[in-house]
Amino acid sequence: MGAGRLYVAVAAGGFRRYATYRAATAAGVFTNTVFGLILVYTYRALWDVKPHLGGYDQAQAVTYVWLGQAFLSTLAIGGGGVEDELIERIRTGDVAIDLYRPADLQLWWLAADVGRAFFQLLGRGVLPFVFGALCFPAYLPTDAGRWAAFFVAVLLAMVVGFGIRYLVALSAFWLLDGTGVGQMAWLLGYFCSGMLLPLNVFPGALGEVVRVLPWSSLLQAPADILLGHGDPLGTYAFQGAWAVALLGTGRLVQSAATRRVVVQGG
């Protein structure tokens, strides 16, 4: 119970920490809204030419756009999660202090990232989504159970997203600077999560491959549940399997990295 309260406090601290950046949050809401408008008009033009592309009608495609803008910062698909701070602490050697804490390194950062993600969802995600739903014909289920199932998928997406980014951060133990790995991972995440286009529209073997990668758990999986194209239990099993695999791999890599830690500078 004591450990559980510790990680809840870490998550709450992460939420409060990001809540202090009010100007940055307002700028983020504006930016997400502008990019959402650009994508909505692009998608509407595409769906005018190709109705029901990927199994979505135009209202579902519009909803998908605003979900993407809501999740961009929430799931740190383009970076901006706690991995940036962890990479810096590894680079400077401050991670040695973290390893002396009476807390698990991975769970500590997971709790901090979940707190950050909840704030970004409420602070930067909700307003652009509501704006889009009010200004454009959108698909919004009236079934409360569908929304509840969607929210569970979002929670699992947070864990999967952290699992990916934690592995990126741990690469700094060997590379001493994870910037390059982070940028490659973020570019791959944009493409493979469905942030640019729904994975449903990817053709042939490419579509089959990207849908089984962990990034599809971030945007495509929750979106399919909300839009009525995904089975919740099957989606949870897929996301849960990737969450366990990524966190387990992160645990193994962390163990290998911290077995003999050499702090830069001595």
Side-chain angles (χ1 to χ4, degrees):
M1 291 296 293
R5 287 195 296 269
L6 169 64
Y7 297 121
V8 169
V10 172
F15 186 99
R16 290 194 301 269
R17 175 183 177 186
Y18 280 84
T20 60
Y21 301 111
R22 298 176 183 175
T25 300
V29 169
F30 176 79
T31 301
N32 288 136
T33 303
V34 170
F35 276 100
L37 289 171
I38 295 172
L39 286 173
V40 160
Y41 284 110
T42 303
Y43 273 40
R44 292 181 71 180
L46 180 58
W47 259 258
D48 282 339
V49 177
K50 295 283 187 179
H52 302 287
L53 181 63
Y56 293 161
D57 60 27
Q58 191 172 100
Q60 290 173 321
V62 168
T63 302
Y64 184 92
V65 168
W66 294 110
L67 284 176
Q69 294 307 303
F71 290 167
L72 180 60
S73 296
T74 300
L75 304 178
I77 295 174
V82 297
E83 73 278 1
D84 294 336
E85 183 179 354
L86 179 54
I87 287 172
E88 181 63 16
R89 292 184 71 82
I90 294 172
R91 189 188 68 80
T92 60
D94 289 340
V95 70
I97 299 173
D98 300 337
L99 295 173
Y100 273 106
R101 288 175 177 158
D104 182 82
L105 183 69
Q106 186 184 54
L107 291 179
W108 177 283
W109 288 101
L110 172 60
D113 196 60
V114 168
R116 176 206 61 80
F118 267 102
F119 172 76
Q120 296 289 20
L121 179 63
L122 297 175
R124 281 186 67 168
V126 171
L127 287 179
F129 185 83
V130 171
F131 172 85
L134 291 175
C135 295
F136 298 93
Y139 178 88
L140 298 176
T142 56
D143 180 12
R146 179 88 63 83
W147 284 100
F150 165 73
F151 183 69
V152 173
V154 173
L155 292 178
L156 288 170
M158 291 179 183
V159 179
V160 173
F162 169 79
I164 296 171
R165 291 179 284 108
Y166 189 69
L167 287 171
V168 170
L170 291 180
S171 69
F173 274 109
W174 288 273
L175 301 177
L176 303 183
D177 188 349
T179 302
V181 176
Q183 290 177 345
M184 289 189 292
W186 298 331
L187 288 173
L188 190 62
Y190 261 102
F191 183 78
C192 295
S193 68
M195 185 59 65
L196 298 179
L197 275 174
L199 301 183
N200 295 345
V201 310
F202 284 31
L206 177 60
E208 295 176 4
V209 170
V210 294
R211 285 191 67 87
V212 299
L213 295 176
W215 289 278
S216 67
S217 297
L218 305 184
L219 171 56
Q220 188 68 57
D224 277 345
I225 290 179
L226 186 67
L227 299 177
H229 284 259
D231 169 53
L233 293 180
T235 300
Y236 299 159
F238 175 76
Q239 291 179 297
W242 270 118
V244 170
L246 289 167
L247 293 178
T249 303
R251 178 73 60 180
L252 293 175
V253 174
Q254 173 186 310
S255 178
T258 57
R259 192 172 296 122
R260 177 180 291 179
V261 177
V262 178
V263 177
Q264 285 186 281

